[in-house]
Amino acid sequence: MASRVIEDDIPFGLEDAPARNLNMIEAINDALDIMLSHDPSVIIMGEDVGYFGGVFRCTAGLQEKYGKTRVFDTPINECGIIGAAVGMGAYGLRPVPEIQFADYIYPGLDQLISEAARLRYRSAGEFIAPMTVRSPFGGGIFGGQTHSQSPEALFTHVAGLKTVIPSTPHDAKGLLIASIEDDDPVIFFEPKRIYNGPFNGYYDKPVEPWKKHPDSKVPEGYYSIPLGKARTVREGDAITILAYGTMVHVVDAVAREKGVDAEILDLRTLVPLDIEAIEASVEKTGRCLIVHEATRTSGFGAELSALVTERCFYHLEAPVERVTGFDTPYPHSLEWAYFPGPVRIGEAIDKILEA
Amino acid sequence: MADRPNGTGNAGHNRPSLRLHVPEPKFRPGDEVDFSHLAISEAGAQPRPDETCDPAETKPLVTDLVRVLGDDNKAHGPWDPRLDADTMRTMLEKMALTRAFDERMYRGQRQGKTSFYMKCTGEEATSVAAAMAMASDDMVFPSYRQQGILITRGYPLVEMINQIYSNRGDKLKGRQLPIMYSSRAHSFFTISGNLATQTPQAVGWAMASAMRGDSRIAATWLGEGSTAEGDFHAACLFATVYNAPVILNVVNNQWAISSFSGFAGGERATFASRAVGYGMAGLRVDGNDPLAVYAATAWAAERARANAGPTLIEHFTYRAEGHSTSDDPSAYRSAQERNEWPLGDPIMRLKDHLIAIGEWDEERQSALDLECAEKVKAATKDAEKNGILGHGLHHPFHTMFEDVFEELPWHLEEQADQAIRERKIKWPHA
């Protein structure tokens, strides 16, 4: 059965807005540029984000355009970066701190978990921390143990934090704008493997650049994508596959290649989660595969699996399966043995369909 | 053991063995106390550099002790803030009220009206005098022993007690441990139980104020024990890197629960001297001298307002009571310490000063103490109408799910529904 591919829907009547083909880095830069110009309370800070424009170039040109007090470098101190952002948020600014790699977010964890996440609650709404912490995450770039981790589950476990993960340039711009406008603290993880192109999981084949991909069509100007709404990457009847970030493209490639009539949901935000879309899809297909790059035990896939089992059990025709990274630190030289690629995903799909 | 090439495997076997140093306080329960080792400098003998000076000029002041009130109860030297008698009487009143408040709330905890309380006895000057030296809209990021700031800023006592009792009048909806107040209207940041986390936040707030061209500055307080936390060092770094208009107050009350200041590095260097390495102005102040605390804070505030940068102030004081109502200080320190503390009691010192200059007398002091006790008593009665902890008069239970996020997401809505169902079973007559 042939799969039906959905053309990306451009939200909010922007169908006619002029669009450009951007890669994810350019789309993020565009979103930041728009928010800096649109709202004087938005500021950007982080290691190397100022003059240099970020090691991935996401903030390139912004300091030059908006000045050193809107876009500036910080000491290498994540606790200070997040802690200062909490204070700035309490003052009334909307800081967008960058943590250069998600692997380095841990020194700032207490400020995120105990402080930013609970500020509204513990002050009964008197103080809020409207910050968006941007951080590149995930592997597949030979980054070794310290430049490859996917720590999203840690943040979804904390009451008061929102976790957002885009998978296309179009979504990266719209979701980042929505995150910056949100009054709650948002962790915005950027899948760095797909900054430049939609990686399909085949490490030994050339990666198609974004510019040739339909999802790289980014409308000019302001638009936002509401948090908590999943994107249907493609419709199908045989199996629901839940994924986010880089893995959206990998599962899409595997499903196409295997000719499986899969319905692929790109979750976009883990908290708040689009439970309605998940339920509707699993009730239709009766089968569910969850794919993420993070380690397996207590990963976000465990939460998804529990939710699907609790809420869709009588519609299920097969046990819910998870495909994940292994429960080891990210091994530098054995990266492609670790990565949950087409073989692991393909086996899981077969197992679920045969059940 | 690592060996050198061609080594025998026994390298170093004939060297003296290494020893670990574990700090130990000078006095334990039962010990005679002798504080003669403390170098208490003469009141008025410390130079007062210009507020906009190079941070290096404050270097002698990070090891010395800024003092104004001498043994003769008179004010001395260049740090004398030359306050008028009315201002000093107000300061005395706020400190006395803070102490009366502590006394009553402590008893309230013992009577089972709340779960927990923390007194600031002996440390009143470090919050009251400091708050008086700042503008009322300067933002403060306190720790848990600065109730004197709220009292100085005129926050209603009944609101404080509502919070302590977690009753239906508690503006924080019974979510916070008693004494962890928050009042945006009084520029008083919500208190965290995680130590030192407020310090980089204060710096961030001050940076934001500077970014916006505002004129308000920020100040933060933490105990000397909490300076061991990484957050404090992040705060010092960010404060100096961005020249933030912020005052970092270290209240050195000698004890972090049962750990003496030596475990935070106080054996080797003063806490004020932490400023030197960061290139920040630093002052070490007699924290039981309300005029010295006022003068130092006014100096630091002026410095911040003049864009001359942050100041680290160590308030050298003594925690006369236990850490909290859950603590028993007699189990770890000499009972004599409190009485032998060479810098006296801040309320007594200001009272004696006002008497010495003919602006006060013992009768008025007795009347003030009585008035403070009555005020607190009346506020307590008012607050008790809203309930005490554990007696049912709390915020409606559904408020438990509010303010986690700006809007209630589906999973919290479902959990709130569950709480409603459970309530009907658990408390059918509620």
Side-chain angles (χ1 to χ4, degrees):
Chain A
M1 210 188 317
S3 287
R4 299 174 293 281
V5 177
I6 304 232
E7 282 301 320
D8 203 19
D9 55 325
I10 309 276
F12 302 120
L14 279 165
E15 295 87 348
D16 303 326
R20 289 174 293 167
N21 287 95
L22 302 181
N23 66 29
M24 202 182 270
I25 291 165
E26 293 163 335
I28 287 163
N29 186 277
D30 191 21
L32 294 171
D33 191 353
I34 285 167
M35 290 313 287
L36 283 164
S37 70
H38 175 78
D39 182 350
S41 64
V42 173
I43 67 107
I44 291 171
M45 61 174 170
E47 296 152 29
D48 304 309
V49 301
Y51 183 85
F52 179 51
V55 292
F56 290 103
R57 317 299 298 144
C58 288
T59 55
L62 298 176
Q63 185 180 71
E64 201 180 354
K65 195 164 169 186
Y66 296 99
K68 284 202 291 189
T69 58
R70 301 281 307 280
V71 182
F72 54 88
D73 292 330
T74 62
I76 305 171
N77 187 315
E78 291 76 12
C79 164
I81 294 170
I82 309 287
V86 171
M88 290 173 187
Y91 180 93
L93 301 187
R94 290 188 180 276
V96 186
E98 179 183 293
I99 301 298
Q100 204 161 72
F101 287 90
D103 313 65
Y104 302 154
I105 209 164
Y106 308 117
L109 266 195
D110 190 39
Q111 286 288 344
L112 278 171
I113 288 175
S114 309
E115 300 294 319
R118 293 189 208 151
L119 210 56
R120 181 194 294 279
Y121 195 73
R122 80 172 196 230
S123 69
E126 278 194 340
F127 295 99
I128 57 171
M131 63 164 84
T132 301
V133 181
R134 287 183 43 246
S135 193
F137 89 125
I141 59 145
F142 278 102
Q145 292 170 43
T146 52
H147 300 77
S148 306
Q149 293 168 55
S150 300
E152 66 274 13
L154 289 176
F155 299 95
T156 63
H157 193 54
V158 177
L161 293 180
K162 292 178 174 170
T163 304
V164 178
I165 299 171
S167 73
T168 69
H170 170 268
D171 279 11
K173 179 174 171 182
L175 289 169
L176 182 53
I177 287 175
S179 299
I180 295 171
E181 288 182 331
D182 199 287
D183 275 346
D184 293 314
V186 177
I187 313 298
F188 191 90
F189 280 133
E190 297 165 8
K192 59 183 172 291
R193 186 65 183 82
I194 57 170
Y195 264 154
N196 291 305
F199 178 62
N200 62 10
Y202 289 94
Y203 62 92
D204 46 358
K205 292 181 189 163
V207 174
E208 174 198 21
W210 271 118
K211 305 268 159 125
K212 293 180 181 168
H213 193 280
D215 289 340
S216 74
K217 229 175 124 189
V218 176
E220 285 182 22
Y222 172 94
Y223 70 96
S224 71
I225 296 173
L227 306 185
K229 292 281 172 216
R231 175 175 72 103
T232 306
V233 179
R234 51 202 252 149
E235 284 181 354
D237 292 315
I239 182 172
T240 297
I241 305 181
L242 306 179
Y244 49 88
T246 301
M247 301 318 295
V248 169
H249 303 283
V250 181
V251 296
D252 190 36
V254 176
R256 280 169 194 273
E257 189 174 299
K258 290 179 79 76
V260 177
D261 185 22
E263 178 145 300
I264 298 175
L265 292 187
D266 171 5
L267 298 179
R268 280 177 168 163
T269 64
L270 307 188
V271 177
L273 184 68
D274 190 348
I275 193 69
E276 279 180 25
I278 295 171
E279 281 182 50
S281 179
V282 176
E283 283 173 14
K284 180 176 75 171
T285 64
R287 296 169 199 268
C288 182
L289 172 66
I290 296 153
V291 182
H292 65 58
E293 208 185 317
T295 48
R296 183 178 187 86
T297 302
S298 304
F300 194 68
E303 176 65 26
L304 289 171
S305 172
L307 282 170
V308 168
T309 308
E310 284 167 358
R311 303 171 88 95
C312 309
F313 184 78
Y314 295 106
H315 297 272
L316 286 173
E317 290 167 42
V320 178
E321 289 280 332
R322 285 177 287 163
V323 167
T324 69
F326 296 131
D327 285 339
T328 71
Y330 220 102
H332 183 240
S333 65
L334 301 176
E335 175 165 279
W336 295 117
Y338 176 95
F339 192 86
V343 173
R344 210 175 302 159
I345 294 166
E347 275 186 1
I349 290 174
D350 290 345
K351 186 176 166 194
I352 294 170
L353 291 180
E354 285 160 15
Chain B
M1 182 170 173
D3 210 349
R4 296 191 182 91
N6 309 316
T8 60
N10 291 324
H13 70 282
N14 58 348
R15 293 184 199 134
S17 54
L18 299 168
R19 283 189 307 274
L20 182 72
H21 170 69
V22 180
E24 181 62 28
K26 288 209 181 303
F27 320 110
R28 286 298 194 186
D31 287 348
E32 287 279 324
V33 164
D34 175 9
F35 279 123
S36 60
H37 63 282
L38 290 183
I40 309 288
S41 41
E42 201 184 326
Q46 303 76 35
R48 184 185 182 282
D50 187 81
E51 287 92 340
T52 57
C53 72
D54 187 285
E57 271 189 61
T58 65
K59 224 167 164 181
L61 293 169
V62 304
T63 48
D64 202 341
L65 202 57
V66 173
R67 303 182 72 217
V68 173
L69 288 173
D71 295 340
D72 58 356
N73 297 322
K74 299 273 177 60
H76 299 274
W79 285 95
D80 177 5
R82 299 177 187 279
L83 300 177
D84 61 77
D86 279 343
T87 304
M88 285 192 281
R89 278 189 291 259
T90 302
M91 192 186 280
L92 183 67
E93 182 214 319
K94 299 297 184 190
M95 289 200 293
L97 186 56
T98 303
R99 189 163 292 183
F101 186 81
D102 277 0
E103 288 298 330
R104 186 147 197 115
M105 291 301 105
Y106 187 90
R107 272 191 287 142
Q109 191 274 340
R110 290 299 190 240
Q111 291 164 349
K113 292 174 182 171
T114 189
S115 57
F116 180 79
Y117 191 72
M118 297 179 108
K119 284 176 149 187
C120 68
T121 311
E123 302 172 43
E124 290 88 348
T126 62
S127 56
V128 171
M132 285 186 68
M134 296 178 71
S136 60
D137 60 350
D138 286 335
M139 188 71 188
V140 299
F141 289 76
S143 176
Y144 47 69
R145 225 184 286 282
Q146 280 77 47
Q147 52 266 54
I149 297 173
L150 278 177
I151 286 173
T152 303
R153 288 188 168 177
Y155 188 67
L157 296 181
V158 67
E159 295 283 6
M160 294 174 76
I161 305 170
N162 284 338
Q163 198 281 325
I164 290 164
Y165 288 170
S166 287
N167 61 23
R168 67 183 169 196
D170 174 11
K171 283 189 348 178
L172 305 184
K173 304 183 186 176
R175 292 168 182 165
Q176 275 272 54
L177 204 61
I179 64 97
M180 297 203 176
Y181 317 101
S182 172
S183 179
R184 193 180 175 90
H186 294 78
S187 297
F188 188 98
F189 193 69
T190 154
I191 297 173
S192 176
N194 291 35
L195 299 177
T197 50
Q198 73 278 14
T199 59
Q201 296 166 6
V203 175
W205 195 98
M207 289 168 67
S209 189
M211 278 177 221
R212 277 299 177 86
D214 199 338
S215 64
R216 291 174 294 164
I217 63 168
T220 184
W221 281 254
L222 79 166
E224 92 284 351
S226 306
T227 63
E229 293 281 6
D231 301 57
F232 169 69
H233 299 277
C236 289
L237 180 65
F238 276 63
T240 44
V241 165
Y242 300 104
N243 208 43
V246 67
I247 306 171
L248 301 157
N249 291 292
V250 175
V251 181
N252 179 1
N253 68 8
Q254 316 299 323
W255 292 93
I257 308 187
S258 75
S259 301
F260 86 116
S261 58
F263 284 101
E267 272 185 339
R268 310 288 170 126
T270 68
F271 293 97
S273 66
R274 302 279 185 264
V276 176
Y278 288 104
M280 188 177 359
L283 302 173
R284 187 162 170 267
V285 176
D286 176 352
N288 288 15
D289 177 345
L291 299 187
V293 171
Y294 183 100
T297 307
W299 186 93
E302 186 53 42
R303 179 174 179 81
R305 282 190 221 288
N307 284 308
T311 304
L312 172 61
I313 302 177
E314 174 186 352
H315 301 270
F316 194 70
T317 180
Y318 185 77
R319 195 192 75 207
E321 291 282 354
H323 168 72
S324 75
T325 45
S326 309
D327 177 35
D328 173 15
S330 72
Y332 54 79
R333 71 184 186 190
S334 168
Q336 290 183 328
E337 277 197 23
R338 176 184 176 158
N339 298 326
E340 297 290 323
W341 183 247
L343 294 170
D345 175 278
I347 298 181
M348 293 306 116
R349 283 177 71 186
L350 186 58
K351 181 196 83 170
D352 291 342
H353 172 60
L354 279 164
I355 291 173
I357 61 171
E359 292 287 351
W360 198 242
D361 54 54
E362 293 290 354
E363 275 174 25
R364 286 155 89 181
Q365 181 67 37
S366 301
L368 173 65
D369 287 341
L370 194 65
E371 189 193 315
C372 289
E374 288 300 325
K375 253 188 210 173
V376 176
K377 194 175 164 188
T380 308
K381 280 193 170 168
D382 278 353
E384 285 180 8
K385 289 176 197 156
N386 296 324
I388 56 175
L389 183 67
H391 286 69
L393 290 177
H394 302 138
H395 269 270
F397 68 104
H398 61 78
T399 60
M400 179 162 70
F401 300 95
E402 294 169 2
D403 303 316
V404 177
F405 294 104
E406 188 181 17
E407 284 161 20
L408 208 63
W410 64 268
H411 61 287
L412 286 177
E413 235 169 69
E414 287 186 0
Q415 290 164 28
D417 288 345
Q418 180 180 354
I420 291 169
R421 285 196 308 279
E422 285 179 12
R423 182 177 167 84
K424 284 178 185 153
I425 299 164
K426 287 191 220 167
W427 301 287
H429 306 299

